[in-house]
Amino acid sequence: MNNILAFNIANPSEVALQIASRVKARRLELDLTQEGLATRAGVKFATYRRFEQTGEISLRGLLQ
């Protein structure tokens, strides 16, 4: 069973990176560019790019 909420973690930074990795994988499955997904999500491209690279994003940005 594939559970998107199951995390193998040691700290909050690792959770953030795992979430970013899963979002990136889904973006690629949907054949979307980073810029395309950022536009659809209503966040700035630079914000989304930073999220994929570092896992850092505001909670509001993540929920969008």
Side-chain angles (χ1 to χ4, degrees):
M1 182 171 153
N2 187 2
N3 186 345
I4 196 163
L5 297 177
F7 293 101
N8 187 10
I9 60 167
N11 63 55
S13 294
E14 287 183 18
V15 172
L17 286 172
Q18 286 185 26
I19 291 170
S21 177
R22 291 175 187 194
V23 170
K24 179 180 179 179
R26 184 65 178 139
R27 173 182 65 77
L28 294 173
E29 287 174 9
L30 296 172
D31 198 29
L32 291 170
T33 63
Q34 287 181 330
E35 190 168 7
L37 184 58
T39 299
R40 288 179 67 170
V43 297
K44 292 181 181 179
F45 169 62
T47 299
Y48 181 78
R49 183 178 58 213
R50 183 180 68 243
F51 168 62
E52 271 197 11
Q53 293 173 348
T54 67
E56 294 177 15
I57 195 166
S58 70
L59 179 57
R60 174 181 232 111
L62 180 62
L63 295 175
Q64 286 179 327

